[in-house]
Amino acid sequence: MSQTTPSSDNGVERQCMEADVVCVGFGPAAGGFLTTLARGLTNEDGSLAVSSAVMEGMPPQVICFERAEGLSFGVSGVVTRARGIRETLPNLDPATIPMAAPVAEERVVYLLDPIGASRRPRTLRAIDRVLRAAKRAVGMQHDAVELPYIPPFLRKDGGLVLSIGQFNQWVGDNIMMSGAVQLWPGSPVAEAVIEENKVVGVRLVDQGTDKDGKPDAGFTPGMEVRANLTVIADGPVGPVGRQLDAHFGMPDGHHQRDWAVGMKIVVDLPESCPLEPGTVIHTLGYPELEIFGFMYVYPGRIASLGIFVPSWFDSPVRTAYRYLQHWMLHPYLWRHLNGGILRSWGAKTIQEAGKRGEPVLAGDGFARIGEGSGSTNVLTNSGVDEAWATGSILAESVLDLLKQDKPFTKESLEATYVSRRRASWVESEGRIAEHARDGFQKGFIRGILGTGLAGLTQGRLHLAGLPPRLNERVLSLQEHFQGKISEAEIGQIRKQCIAKGESLHDALMTRAGWPEIPYDGQLLVSHQDALLLGGKVQAPGGYADHVVFVYPHLCETCGVQLCAEICSGQAITPNPEGGVPLFDREKCVHCGACLWNCTQASEENKESGAIAFRAGAGGLHSSEN
Amino acid sequence: MGFHIVVCAGIVPDPLQTLEPITGPQGPALKNEMMLPAVLDPWAKHALFEAAHLAAKTPDSKVWLVSMAPKTKLQQVMMSIAQKASFELVALDGPASGFTDSQAVAEALAAAINAISGLDRKRLLVFGGWESASRGAGATLQIVGERLGIVEQFQGVDELSVTASGSLRILERVEGGMHQISHCDGPPAVLGWATGSLPEPPNNPQVGMANMRTLMPALQKATAAGVAVDGKSFTSVEVPKQRRDTRIVKDASTDDIAREIMEWIKG
Amino acid sequence: MDTVLYLAHTQSDETLSKGALEALTAAKELTAQLGSANLVVAILGGDVQTAADSVADCGASKFLGVSGEAFAQSRYATDAAAIEALCRTAQPAIVLCGSSSRFNRVLPGVASRLGGCADLHATEVKADGGSTSITRWYYRQRIRAAQVRDKRPWFVALETGSDAPWITAGGKAAVESVPVALPESSLRTTVEGLQKPPGQTQTIRPDADLLYVAGAGWTKKQADGEAHIQDAESIILDFLGKTQASLGGSKSLVDISGTGQAVLSFMTHLNQIGQTGAIPRHPKGLSTCCHGEEPHAVGWRFIHERRAINLDANCGWAHGKADVLYVADAFEVMRKVNALLEKS
């Protein structure tokens, strides 16, 4: 890495250095990119295949900056067909990766509501009654029906169950050992440096600041790292990806209006649990129709399980933790979980717009890969493999360009990376999935039908239902609880909760008929205790708050404050004094749910809300999520 | 003339991970040890920061970090720690388990220090943590010192300053929250650090990249360090299961609670 | 016949510490358990006669002493030479002493020099069927292990609070003075003295009956949306003053000082308990505003009776670990406790 003279902006002197390739974020996409790239930088005899443009005679200088403090602090449990991963690693042996196992058995289960608190349309209640009446005929047990047929597009035959944390760590170790790439965790990238519509590198976050970002003791301005190619792999809510979306705009007709928060736990299953490693269970129907669940069984009687709370669940008290506990307590699951021990917990946002949310994939000096590049497939419920594949496709293109000594221009990247990606299975399957979930915009049953239709007709048919903008869709508390809780009582509960600085969903859900959670201190623990398990959620000092309420006046008039309800770590809470919610960085798991759960529209861009989700350090410290 | 500072530092599981002992082929071990995220031992980390700080303000000084752990774990920890302080790594591929005996670890460390080329014994300061968060023996560094023939040894060090004459002024933690102040003529000396007083340095990619030049070669050439069992055996290793019956006092007035606490304190 | 060497050093007033007397109880019991063993007492210090007399009737077969100005101070080189000489004279199988900063510094090195082994931080030592074993903790007091060793001499430093101190009427001990050859090079270090804790307030009292633990909650925003650091400081100091309790802090609370946030001015790293702090031993412990912090898990391991004040009734870190959890505002409760203490 050669050093250049310090750059200066707004009077702040920044250290500056040069690299050939800088990669933002380390997850499956960067894993695929760096694994493939590292391998191609040297010839089989060990000689250099290409050389650095910034350090003569040296191999290309490739650096990857990861926000979290360890490469293994990623989320979540995954079932994947691992086609892209196996293409890069043909001799992959799951036994060498902790917590990995081949898929052995798949079940899709419809969960009935055993307590009667979920919101179910009349038709579905009728179906539930029929199922209960014909219990034996339909094979209903434990308030659940295992579907007799799993459509091929959902199946993961020959695939793997993985812990993303352990997989990332394993991939990272191998990349590091190659010596061709530097991986630096604990290094959040604040932004891309853009000069005349060309991305020329990145700037790391400032350290030694107060929570507002003002210089404090030990102030160290974030370094500028200039690179010929900047690879953005910072995931669905990454600040650099979103900066580029804002700067370059989204392609016509593309937008990101479908999201979900996935919240999960890792559990030591009780001795009595008969589930074999490689068992994959997907659930639908409970605790709310919009909330799907998963359970993957790893070797050693460990399971990863959780739920997805999507943006099209139009509840003004949209939350995940409480629903996760009700879901675990469903008789179908609880019989396997009862007596288990919670090992760790985590949450992440999933960009469910998929292909429709695809941004500009490449431009002068940059390329986008992974979930933030719209690679997630919402029909097959697969994202990790697709992300990996996009990274690997980019690496092949980068190697070609390096070997031909061509610059990383928009034109050259489009001719290589983008065109290869268009010809890949990620693209063709992404197109099939593009409208698969639109039906859910108009109800659960329509959604299921639409997904099936899209899946079985290879995307030729689907049910229409364009998702509205996020800030247009959430109901008021009064509308949502109509017929269940009076307006006056809602007002009273809101007052009590806000005075205590608590979000409303717990009190309202209890009032609406959800039973209290019977905490047992080992599997059913309070939300705050979950933050302490499997490596305490924490934030190093000296960094600015990364969640910022940009338009205080909008927060002051916001009657819902969905950001506080959804917040996975209870890091955002209502302000007892009213107005702008409070943010506690030490509880934030960086899931980014606040970003798409703002009911207010930003003044500059109606597609986004009034919350800025910036680059920040800290978060989860569990390596097995 | 500057110092040659050798920091001995092990790696330990990230604090607050759930730990469970199992019986492995070589005796007790931690369940899923290789999966647990690891960090540089906290007290030794303070020692490293103090070493880097001292080296930075004393011209012609150099810092080595001698660490023994399984190679992949060492590599993971180095990714974080190498951004915070300048050092040259001496890597030993061996166990990081707290159940490995200090004598065996100390002998491996002392041999590695003896093998550092260009190390000047007359300028040598051996740093480390006053105990580890894994073994918690508080013994390894003293044995390293003995093996190197250094009898100027200090434990629980919170402060080291170099006087104008070049002697070392050292504050060690002693009973009752007090510090013992000692003066040592100069190196060689062994210092087992408590927390010291330096804040954690920021992550500096430039420091990391400079370290990288020696880090990866050191890791790649790290050889397996022989660690003998050395006559220690365990008759039981367990996480105590004691669980107390917690009485929860809810909805009592603060007056009542205060009275109860008062009676308990006085009782 | 194996020799159990009971090792002690004098304090600045030439007496033995409580911890040293506790270890004597253990040494006597161990000697008895070993059957045919022989107890020898060895003391080092400026002048050891007073200390030796204070335990003259402990049943030891012999009293060894190293005295002199060089041994009045705690210093590795001279202590190591003295203990080496005492051991070469007594030829013990087991060397037992109370844990102290002075012994913890020197024992492992001496053990290694003598070809033996050392265990600091032992919480129990016993002999069963002629075989000696000790108990000590690993991974910051999370895992407890019982272990035996083949090498001799085996030095064991017992943590204070592990046994009752040996109570004695004293007497007159015949101390055999053991000569120590000190090369000049062993005096390269001079001890200047002791420095009191920083700040004006003495907050660490190892002999206190009560450990008072303050958590990071004291510095956080309270129900009114504001932090009340000064209130917190005066409440805590008032309580410490009235009860003479020792003050412990959670790591989060101590670390806050590094982040530029307002902190309790009298709290330093020396107060920290748990992970990278001390593991104190007191009969009682009261923790306040510690939800989600570590004292309950680790720092409390050796606190006998434990109570907590916390706003969260479901705090899993107090459940099962504290005897009583008061769900209340610690600011209010502690203010009232102080008022009651004032009255009494």
Side-chain angles (χ1 to χ4, degrees):
Chain A
M1 251 86 343
S2 69
Q3 273 173 245
T4 60
T5 45
S7 78
S8 171
D9 61 279
N10 301 330
V12 177
E13 288 275 302
R14 291 185 189 282
Q15 292 296 316
C16 185
M17 61 183 197
E18 287 186 339
D20 290 273
V21 178
V22 64
C23 180
V24 183
F26 185 80
F33 174 65
L34 297 171
T35 301
T36 310
L37 185 68
R39 215 182 264 168
L41 292 177
T42 45
N43 296 314
E44 269 177 28
D45 62 3
S47 61
L48 284 186
V50 283
S51 56
S52 170
V54 296
M55 282 181 86
E56 223 181 296
M58 296 289 283
Q61 303 293 299
V62 183
I63 319 166
C64 176
F65 293 111
E66 162 57 33
R67 184 201 70 70
E69 279 142 71
L71 297 183
S72 63
F73 300 152
V75 178
S76 145
V78 160
V79 60
T80 174
R81 287 177 69 185
R83 288 173 293 172
I85 296 170
R86 283 208 173 98
E87 222 166 279
T88 316
L89 308 165
N91 300 321
L92 180 84
D93 174 8
T96 58
I97 309 170
M99 296 173 90
V103 171
E105 186 197 345
E106 292 180 75
R107 299 182 207 169
V108 177
V109 187
Y110 172 67
L111 303 177
L112 283 82
D113 179 351
I115 52 174
S118 69
R119 293 150 49 261
R120 289 174 123 73
R122 202 166 297 156
T123 21
L124 199 64
R125 275 190 296 213
I127 294 173
D128 288 356
R129 271 197 300 277
V130 172
L131 289 174
R132 284 186 207 277
K135 214 168 172 177
R136 200 166 294 165
V138 297
M140 190 181 108
Q141 269 190 315
H142 315 288
D143 280 305
V145 182
E146 292 180 359
L147 303 194
Y149 166 74
I150 304 173
F153 61 85
L154 278 180
R155 296 193 67 90
K156 300 289 186 290
D157 298 322
L160 300 173
V161 293
L162 291 170
S163 144
I164 264 303
Q166 286 300 310
F167 179 67
N168 282 349
Q169 184 70 69
W170 181 84
V171 171
D173 286 348
N174 290 332
I175 292 171
M176 281 291 283
M177 252 336 162
S178 75
V181 172
Q182 297 192 15
L183 296 178
W184 296 114
S187 301
V189 172
E191 60 181 11
V193 180
I194 304 173
E195 291 173 359
E196 292 166 6
N197 283 335
K198 181 178 177 194
V199 175
V200 296
V202 297
R203 184 173 70 70
L204 303 180
V205 296
D206 295 342
Q207 297 173 75
T209 72
D210 66 7
K211 63 201 278 291
D212 300 320
K214 295 195 194 81
D216 205 349
F219 178 63
T220 312
M223 183 185 287
E224 193 169 301
V225 184
R226 297 179 77 90
N228 293 336
L229 176 67
T230 301
V231 176
I232 292 95
D234 61 353
V237 291
V240 181
R242 284 183 297 103
Q243 177 201 0
L244 297 194
D245 291 346
H247 186 91
F248 295 104
M250 294 290 276
D252 277 348
H254 284 212
H255 46 70
Q256 297 173 353
R257 294 177 178 178
D258 283 315
W259 301 86
V261 63
M263 184 175 281
K264 59 81 58 85
I265 56 175
V266 178
V267 173
D268 270 329
L269 295 170
E271 296 268 327
S272 57
C273 177
L275 298 176
E276 293 290 332
T279 303
V280 172
I281 298 172
H282 285 113
T283 74
L284 64 160
Y286 183 81
E288 293 287 4
L289 294 177
E290 296 86 345
I291 297 177
F292 296 169
F294 69 92
M295 177 163 173
Y296 309 142
V297 183
Y298 301 136
R301 216 189 290 283
I302 299 168
S304 177
L305 55 147
I307 57 166
F308 301 99
V309 178
S311 53
W312 42 275
F313 173 37
D314 288 332
S315 163
V317 285
R318 195 147 70 198
T319 182
Y321 191 72
R322 173 101 186 241
Y323 280 123
L324 172 65
Q325 293 184 314
H326 286 299
W327 175 77
M328 287 157 64
L329 284 162
H330 189 283
Y332 182 83
L333 296 161
W334 191 242
R335 67 197 163 117
H336 294 314
L337 297 173
N338 191 8
I341 296 168
L342 184 56
R343 286 162 63 108
S344 75
W345 161 93
K348 94 175 270 281
T349 279
I350 298 145
Q351 207 267 63
E352 295 208 326
K355 172 77 189 157
R356 192 191 273 151
E358 182 187 283
V360 175
L361 288 179
D364 287 337
F366 77 91
R368 312 270 306 255
I369 54 175
E371 194 174 354
S373 77
S375 60
T376 298
N377 190 307
V378 292
L379 178 64
T380 58
N381 296 327
S382 179
V384 168
D385 202 22
E386 284 74 5
W388 178 283
T390 61
S392 160
I393 292 168
L394 176 63
E396 285 162 11
S397 311
V398 168
L399 286 166
D400 281 355
L401 293 173
L402 284 171
K403 283 174 190 163
Q404 294 164 23
D405 216 8
K406 284 192 180 163
F408 297 108
T409 58
K410 183 171 176 62
E411 197 184 4
S412 71
L413 287 163
E414 277 182 349
T416 52
Y417 169 53
V418 179
S419 89
R420 273 191 172 102
R421 185 161 160 177
R422 296 285 175 243
S424 71
W425 59 271
V426 177
E427 173 81 9
S428 55
E429 293 182 10
R431 286 202 181 282
I432 294 172
E434 195 165 355
H435 301 287
R437 287 207 180 175
D438 287 359
F440 281 109
Q441 305 303 332
K442 293 181 183 168
F444 173 73
I445 296 175
R446 212 181 136 82
I448 295 290
L449 290 174
T451 305
L453 203 56
L456 296 170
T457 63
Q458 300 285 301
R460 283 188 289 275
L461 297 175
H462 61 91
L463 294 180
L466 190 67
R469 280 204 296 263
L470 293 157
N471 40 43
E472 289 171 348
R473 64 181 311 152
V474 171
L475 303 173
S476 71
L477 289 167
Q478 285 76 10
E479 285 169 295
H480 183 75
F481 287 105
Q482 202 164 30
K484 281 199 162 176
I485 315 176
S486 74
E487 197 172 336
E489 199 181 346
I490 290 173
Q492 202 182 354
I493 290 174
R494 182 211 294 265
K495 213 169 139 189
Q496 284 165 351
C497 287
I498 291 178
K500 286 191 278 183
E502 288 174 3
S503 51
L504 278 56
H505 58 261
D506 260 330
L508 287 168
M509 281 176 71
T510 304
R511 178 59 191 80
W514 289 97
E516 296 276 5
I517 302 295
Y519 292 116
D520 59 15
Q522 65 172 34
L523 185 55
L524 299 170
V525 302
S526 72
H527 197 163
Q528 280 309 291
D529 284 350
L531 268 67
L532 306 169
L533 289 163
K536 182 180 177 176
V537 172
Q538 52 197 292
Y543 290 88
D545 277 355
H546 53 277
V547 170
V548 180
F549 303 94
V550 196
Y551 306 102
H553 64 281
L554 293 180
C555 299
E556 273 163 29
T557 53
C558 172
V560 177
Q561 299 201 332
L562 196 54
C563 55
E565 301 299 334
I566 194 76
C567 182
S568 294
Q570 294 181 315
I572 300 176
T573 49
N575 188 339
E577 289 176 358
V580 184
L582 305 173
F583 173 65
D584 183 350
R585 198 165 70 85
E586 286 174 41
K587 293 180 181 171
C588 179
V589 298
H590 296 254
C591 73
C594 47
L595 189 68
W596 52 272
N597 277 282
C598 180
T599 56
Q600 305 299 305
S602 147
E603 286 166 8
E604 286 101 42
N605 177 2
K606 297 285 172 218
E607 286 286 332
S608 50
I611 294 177
F613 184 75
R614 297 176 180 158
L620 288 165
H621 268 237
S622 163
S623 62
E624 50 183 38
N625 274 314
Chain B
M1 193 164 58
F3 298 106
H4 278 182
I5 312 172
V6 175
V7 182
C8 300
I11 69 165
V12 297
D14 187 21
L16 295 180
Q17 296 288 327
T18 308
L19 305 181
E20 198 183 318
I22 51 161
T23 305
Q26 263 92 49
L30 289 183
K31 188 174 174 184
N32 301 324
E33 186 159 357
M34 289 303 284
M35 265 169 55
L36 292 167
V39 295
L40 199 70
D41 193 76
W43 285 293
K45 188 161 88 170
H46 290 300
L48 177 64
F49 299 156
E50 293 283 351
H53 183 71
L54 178 62
K57 65 180 186 185
T58 319
D60 195 25
S61 293
K62 182 169 178 180
V63 178
W64 286 265
L65 177 69
V66 182
S67 190
M68 179 164 75
K71 215 187 260 194
T72 49
K73 296 309 276 182
L74 211 47
Q75 179 182 292
Q76 287 163 21
V77 172
M78 286 308 133
M79 281 188 246
S80 305
I81 205 70
Q83 299 186 67
K84 293 185 177 290
S86 294
F87 58 81
E88 185 176 321
L89 177 70
V90 178
L92 303 177
D93 190 7
S97 168
F99 299 109
T100 312
D101 198 39
S102 1
Q103 176 82 33
V105 175
E107 278 173 21
L109 295 175
I113 295 170
N114 272 326
I116 295 175
S117 69
L119 186 73
D120 182 351
R121 294 295 191 93
K122 290 193 282 300
R123 300 157 68 185
L124 175 62
L125 295 176
V126 178
F127 277 20
W130 66 333
E131 63 179 64
S132 67
S134 51
R135 187 165 26 251
T140 312
L141 215 48
Q142 290 95 316
I143 306 173
V144 170
E146 282 287 320
R147 284 283 176 272
L148 298 173
I150 303 172
V151 291
E152 303 314 311
Q153 295 205 17
F154 306 88
Q155 292 296 326
V157 176
D158 269 334
E159 195 180 305
L160 163 66
S161 43
V162 182
T163 65
S165 68
S167 74
L168 310 172
R169 182 177 184 272
I170 294 158
L171 259 61
E172 287 170 287
R173 286 189 188 183
V174 295
E175 283 72 18
M178 291 200 276
H179 283 105
Q180 173 170 311
I181 308 166
S182 302
H183 285 270
C184 174
D185 282 358
V190 172
L191 283 85
W193 285 85
T195 46
S197 55
L198 295 175
E200 178 141 345
N203 286 343
N204 184 335
Q206 246 167 2
V207 170
M209 283 159 204
N211 283 335
M212 246 335 155
R213 291 188 195 118
T214 62
L215 249 165
M216 287 316 293
L219 281 167
Q220 276 157 354
K221 74 174 187 213
T223 48
V227 177
V229 177
D230 219 28
K232 178 172 80 167
S233 52
F234 293 86
T235 51
S236 78
V237 176
E238 58 179 5
V239 175
K241 292 281 182 243
Q242 276 175 343
R243 223 187 127 73
R244 298 194 175 203
D245 261 336
T246 305
R247 176 166 64 93
I248 312 233
V249 180
K250 258 207 285 203
D251 306 323
S253 74
T254 46
D255 283 314
D256 288 347
I257 292 174
R259 205 169 302 119
E260 197 177 305
I261 289 176
M262 163 86 180
E263 280 159 17
W264 172 66
I265 292 171
K266 293 278 168 196
Chain C
M1 191 167 64
D2 278 351
T3 294
V4 174
L5 183 72
Y6 165 73
L7 182 67
H9 61 75
T10 58
Q11 305 186 95
S12 55
D13 61 358
E14 306 202 331
T15 62
L16 297 180
S17 69
K18 183 164 156 263
L21 293 172
E22 289 171 10
L24 182 54
T25 304
K28 281 180 62 66
E29 280 170 10
L30 181 70
T31 311
Q33 286 162 356
L34 282 168
S36 62
N38 161 42
L39 177 67
V40 173
V41 168
I43 305 176
L44 70 148
D47 181 353
V48 302
Q49 189 62 50
T50 313
D53 288 348
S54 76
V55 295
D57 56 346
C58 71
S61 65
K62 209 193 292 185
F63 288 83
L64 303 177
V66 169
S67 297
E69 203 187 332
F71 308 103
Q73 289 171 330
S74 160
R75 169 176 41 216
Y76 185 91
T78 45
D79 286 347
I83 297 166
E84 184 186 352
L86 288 166
C87 287
R88 292 204 188 279
T89 305
Q91 294 293 317
I94 308 284
V95 182
L96 198 58
C97 65
S99 204
S100 70
S101 58
R102 184 170 182 180
F103 278 158
N104 289 354
R105 185 203 294 125
V106 73
L107 293 186
V110 182
S112 172
R113 200 182 279 184
L114 293 167
C117 55
D119 281 294
L120 311 181
H121 309 302
T123 53
E124 192 186 356
V125 56
K126 63 176 182 194
D128 204 356
S131 160
T132 306
S133 69
I134 63 145
T135 301
R136 77 170 194 81
W137 295 72
Y138 286 79
Y139 291 95
R140 297 304 291 154
Q141 329 302 326
R142 293 183 194 204
I143 296 174
R144 183 171 57 198
Q147 61 193 49
V148 296
R149 287 180 180 274
D150 298 340
K151 282 192 178 178
R152 297 291 182 269
W154 182 6
F155 287 75
V156 178
L158 267 182
E159 285 291 286
T160 47
S162 305
D163 259 299
W166 195 68
I167 300 167
T168 166
K172 186 74 193 162
V175 180
E176 179 187 320
S177 177
V178 174
V180 182
L182 283 182
E184 211 168 296
S185 62
S186 65
L187 290 169
R188 283 183 54 225
T189 293
T190 51
V191 178
E192 184 183 306
L194 296 178
Q195 178 176 296
K196 290 222 167 107
Q200 314 230 307
T201 324
Q202 165 79 20
T203 57
I204 299 172
R205 300 184 178 96
D207 290 329
D209 285 336
L210 178 72
L211 173 72
Y212 178 82
V213 185
W218 283 100
T219 62
K220 298 272 159 82
K221 283 177 185 155
Q222 300 302 314
D224 61 359
E226 300 288 321
H228 296 276
I229 305 280
Q230 284 180 349
D231 278 1
E233 283 199 346
S234 69
I235 292 170
I236 294 170
L237 281 183
D238 190 16
F239 179 78
L240 295 179
K242 289 186 164 102
T243 55
Q244 292 297 297
S246 190
L247 175 67
S250 64
K251 183 170 191 301
S252 332
L253 180 56
V254 174
D255 280 354
I256 289 169
S257 58
T259 67
Q261 282 187 49
V263 288
L264 303 178
S265 58
F266 45 81
M267 186 72 91
T268 74
H269 274 287
L270 296 175
N271 292 94
Q272 188 185 318
I273 64 167
Q275 259 312 307
T276 45
I279 314 286
R281 284 156 194 274
H282 298 272
K284 292 176 188 172
L286 177 63
S287 88
T288 51
C289 299
C290 288
H291 180 220
E293 297 179 301
E294 202 202 358
H296 299 305
V298 176
W300 279 37
R301 186 70 84 197
F302 302 115
I303 303 299
H304 191 58
E305 292 177 37
R306 313 165 186 167
R307 298 194 177 195
I309 308 173
N310 196 325
L311 277 172
D312 184 354
N314 290 312
C315 173
W317 294 68
H319 274 238
K321 300 184 181 84
D323 301 309
V324 185
L325 168 63
Y326 299 102
V327 183
D329 180 344
F331 278 81
E332 285 178 34
V333 173
M334 292 311 294
R335 245 188 224 114
K336 289 197 167 138
V337 170
N338 285 340
L340 290 173
L341 287 164
E342 180 78 47
K343 270 191 236 161
S344 73

